[in-house]
Amino acid sequence: MFRQLECFIQICIAGSFTKAAEVLMISQPTLSQQIRFLEAEVGTPLFERFGRGIKITADGEILYAKALSVIRLLDESKKETNELRHAQARANKLSIGISPMDFLSLAPLFSKFHEQYPYISVKFTSGEYTTQQLLSDSIDIGITNNPDPNKEIHTMHLHTEEQALAVYAGHPWAERTSVSFRELVELDTPLFAGDLNLHEQLHASNPKTSKSLQSMFESNSRSILLTMVMQQMGVAILPVSSIENHAGQSLHMIRLIDPTPVREIKLMYKKYQYSNPSVQQCIDFLLEQSK
């Protein structure tokens, strides 16, 4: 019946059996046969034939209107079932935008999430432009220490990580275990800090310290800063987890005190209610763990 209705509608649109057969890419005898089957089904002629032309009957006009509604409903059903299948496929998946350094400190938390929700697949991607990525739906959750405020996005505290001083072997301070934040002004080597908030904190502690930050080299990449320290290009203030991950003969960590600088990592997500339950489960889990 569905195929017959398609043929009937196309004849009404084209105005002839010949043109309709071309559009449907079937032979005219096959098309005529489909219409005969349909007319037998509804019990009335649908077209008046005169010469090579046709005219739709009054009964045909009624069927045409109903047939269009049927086709439209079928198309809507196909669309909705496709969307449902896609939603079901996405239901156990989510995407998190995060920097490599933040992932390093939060990896145990993600492992715990997997243990609790083993059926949820998590895709990690670089979170360089977290706000834009959230707004464009390229990620579901953003994790960053430098959020860009937006009225459509929630930003909440997730994790605080201590920062310390990374120095190379042979540096005059290499044997020290801690230094006062104010002592940084005594550094004879360039001081690197990828966190912009640290620049403000260093200047507030002692404006002279800012001179140590003036260098021919700079970067906001933690991995590059670590490499610069190991190449004896200077020393750097970095998250403890990243220093410990590379600590060895060529790199030493010195705790900073009075005050101890910290780096706040924040959770970002859209304010609207997610239709994907996995996203909400992850948000709830991360916020619960941050308490």
Side-chain angles (χ1 to χ4, degrees):
M1 175 67 80
F2 178 69
R3 181 57 173 167
Q4 293 164 9
L5 287 177
E6 280 188 317
C7 293
F8 170 67
I9 290 172
Q10 192 56 53
I11 294 171
C12 294
I13 294 173
S16 77
F17 277 68
T18 303
K19 292 180 181 179
E22 292 176 356
V23 172
L24 295 167
M25 292 186 291
I26 60 176
S27 67
Q28 190 168 331
T30 299
L31 179 59
S32 298
Q33 184 183 48
Q34 292 292 324
I35 297 304
R36 285 196 297 272
F37 289 155
L38 183 59
E39 288 176 330
E41 185 71 29
V42 298
T44 184
L46 300 173
F47 297 103
E48 294 178 2
R49 297 163 178 80
F50 51 92
R52 294 188 177 182
I54 60 168
K55 180 181 179 182
I56 189 170
T57 64
D59 291 330
E61 291 282 3
I62 295 173
L63 181 61
Y64 179 62
K66 300 296 184 182
L68 289 176
S69 297
V70 170
I71 296 299
R72 184 171 60 254
L73 287 172
L74 287 171
D75 288 341
E76 289 175 358
S77 296
K78 288 180 182 178
K79 180 180 178 181
E80 290 176 8
T81 54
N82 284 335
E83 289 176 350
L84 179 60
R85 284 196 297 270
H86 290 153
Q88 290 172 338
R90 296 193 304 268
N92 295 332
K93 295 181 180 180
L94 63 93
S95 175
I96 297 178
I98 186 171
S99 73
M101 290 300 106
D102 289 335
F103 181 83
L104 184 64
S105 61
L106 295 174
L109 192 61
F110 292 126
S111 295
K112 188 174 180 180
F113 176 76
H114 176 66
E115 291 176 3
Q116 188 167 331
Y117 301 97
Y119 55 87
I120 297 179
S121 173
V122 182
K123 176 184 178 182
F124 295 104
T125 186
S126 176
E128 296 180 6
Y129 306 100
T130 310
T131 297
Q132 294 90 327
Q133 289 170 294
L134 285 168
L135 293 175
S136 65
D137 293 322
S138 58
I139 60 174
D140 300 304
I141 296 171
I143 295 175
T144 180
N145 75 310
N146 189 28
D148 182 15
N150 187 283
K151 62 181 181 180
E152 296 183 28
I153 294 176
H154 277 305
T155 301
M156 305 183 74
H157 170 82
L158 179 61
H159 176 69
T160 299
E161 183 176 26
E162 177 187 350
Q163 300 205 80
L165 186 68
V167 302
Y168 51 84
H171 187 274
W173 289 5
E175 300 301 319
R176 299 187 62 174
T177 57
S178 66
V179 298
S180 166
F181 203 75
R182 288 183 173 273
E183 286 183 78
L184 294 176
V185 72
E186 300 173 13
L187 276 170
D188 293 328
T189 49
L191 174 63
F192 307 130
D195 190 340
L196 293 178
N197 294 328
L198 263 176
H199 286 250
E200 298 175 3
Q201 195 172 351
L202 285 164
H203 183 76
S205 174
N206 191 328
K208 294 181 180 179
T209 309
S210 300
K211 294 181 180 179
S212 299
L213 290 167
Q214 297 173 4
S215 171
M216 294 179 62
F217 307 104
E218 62 180 45
S219 175
N220 57 7
S221 166
R222 275 76 183 177
S223 57
I224 291 177
L225 291 176
L226 280 167
T227 302
M228 290 165 69
V229 174
M230 288 186 282
Q231 292 297 316
Q232 301 187 12
M233 298 167 67
V235 298
I237 299 176
L238 293 165
V240 168
S241 60
S242 61
I243 301 175
E244 289 179 335
N245 195 51
H246 292 82
Q249 295 181 351
S250 60
L251 193 68
H252 296 278
M253 182 172 70
I254 303 174
R255 301 280 181 174
L256 292 169
I257 57 175
D258 299 326
T260 297
V262 295
R263 181 170 176 271
E264 184 182 12
I265 301 173
K266 295 187 177 182
L267 175 70
M268 301 178 69
Y269 57 95
K270 274 189 174 182
K271 290 182 178 180
Y272 64 74
Q273 183 64 38
Y274 280 97
S275 59
N276 183 345
S278 296
V279 175
Q280 192 60 54
Q281 285 174 321
C282 185
I283 291 172
D284 293 341
F285 173 84
L286 293 174
L287 291 178
E288 179 64 29
Q289 296 298 314
S290 69
K291 292 179 181 180

